[in-house]
Amino acid sequence: MNCAGCALPIEPDMKKMQMPCCDLTYHSQCGINYLFSGSYFSNVECAGCGNHLHDSHYYSSNSSSHNQDIAAGNVLLETTAKADMKKLKDKSKEMSAARKELDKHLKEEFAAFEEMALPQLEAIKALKDSRVGVIKQSPEYKAFNSKKTSFSLLFGKFQKKYPTIPRCCVRQKIGSNNFSYRYNSSLNMVQRKFRLRKWYN
């Protein structure tokens, strides 16, 4: 199974996220990135079946019951739990102050590291850019772009001809991975594969 976001395999030991409305599956982080991306909030549709996730029953809740729980919780916070809540707030302030100190220390250490490593990093980046340029001129790169464009145009015509057929039905017939590849940018695929930061971990 491949991730619908990055098109890379989802290994058995990896965390994954499946859409609640269909079988579209992501790596956990890819799914989170999709759900909280700007494009998601401007067009709140599942990429697989077209369901409007924010408006659908998949994410609905009983608002009346929820409001009652909040009211009851606030009463407890002002009475029985007030002393314990103060302790919790004090600890959170201590944690926040410690985090700021750590962040300051990390910035200082990284600045020192960056100064020492910058010449080597620039050489590696130049090599990476060179290889990416070679890939972008390759027949494989051009073929994928051509086939993806061709599929998208044909799918658009299909939707106009059969507007009553849900996308999830088409997706199931084509295959989850094959259908989701039309969302993949070839340049993003290359850049993701050549991310330098994965070498440092």
Side-chain angles (χ1 to χ4, degrees), residues 24 34 55 72 119 136-137 149-150 156 162 197:
L24 196 66
Y34 169 67
D55 300 332
K136 288 169 70 175
Q137 296 302 318
T149 300
S150 177
Y162 305 101
R197 66 184 182 190

Side-chain angles (χ1 to χ4, degrees), residues 20-64:
C21 46
C22 67
D23 61 348
L24 196 66
T25 306
Y26 296 85
H27 292 113
S28 288
Q29 191 57 53
C30 293
I32 291 169
N33 291 343
Y34 169 67
L35 290 174
F36 289 95
S37 66
S39 59
Y40 169 73
F41 284 108
S42 62
N43 183 23
V44 288
E45 289 185 352
C46 171
C49 64
N51 269 303
H52 286 258
L53 299 179
H54 282 175
D55 300 332
S56 73
H57 65 276
Y58 302 110
Y59 295 102
S60 63
S61 62
N62 188 324
S63 58
S64 176

Side-chain angles (χ1 to χ4, degrees), residues 45-50 155 159 165-171 182-183:
E45 289 185 352
C46 171
C49 64
F155 180 63
Q159 283 186 305
I165 299 179
R167 277 194 292 178
C168 59
C169 296
V170 179
R171 187 172 178 275
R182 74 190 185 98
Y183 298 107

Side-chain angles (χ1 to χ4, degrees), residues 52-154:
H52 286 258
L53 299 179
H54 282 175
D55 300 332
S56 73
H57 65 276
Y58 302 110
Y59 295 102
S60 63
S61 62
N62 188 324
S63 58
S64 176
S65 174
H66 181 62
N67 290 338
Q68 290 174 4
D69 290 343
I70 291 176
N74 285 331
V75 170
L76 275 176
L77 288 175
E78 292 300 322
T79 55
T80 309
K82 189 170 185 178
D84 290 327
M85 187 67 233
K86 184 180 183 306
K87 292 178 184 177
L88 195 60
K89 286 179 67 176
D90 290 342
K91 283 296 180 185
S92 73
K93 290 178 181 178
E94 293 175 8
M95 178 178 64
S96 178
R99 186 193 179 284
K100 288 179 181 178
E101 289 299 315
L102 174 59
D103 187 53
K104 179 182 176 183
H105 178 64
L106 286 175
K107 286 178 180 177
E108 292 170 351
E109 288 297 325
F110 184 78
F113 161 78
E114 194 173 37
E115 186 177 355
M116 292 184 288
L118 191 57
Q120 290 89 336
L121 290 176
E122 288 177 343
I124 293 172
K125 185 178 182 302
L127 179 61
K128 183 200 81 167
D129 290 345
S130 172
R131 299 315 303 167
V132 168
V134 170
I135 292 171
K136 288 169 70 175
Q137 296 302 318
S138 69
E140 294 85 355
Y141 184 91
K142 293 177 180 178
F144 175 68
N145 279 338
S146 174
K147 298 298 183 184
K148 187 178 74 165
T149 300
S150 177
F151 174 82
S152 295
L153 290 172
L154 187 61

Side-chain angles (χ1 to χ4, degrees), residues 153-186:
L153 290 172
L154 187 61
F155 180 63
K157 292 178 181 178
F158 183 90
Q159 283 186 305
K160 289 181 180 178
K161 188 174 182 179
Y162 305 101
T164 60
I165 299 179
R167 277 194 292 178
C168 59
C169 296
V170 179
R171 187 172 178 275
Q172 287 173 351
K173 289 291 184 182
I174 293 175
S176 299
N177 290 334
N178 290 341
F179 187 80
S180 64
Y181 288 156
R182 74 190 185 98
Y183 298 107
N184 298 149
S185 160
S186 49

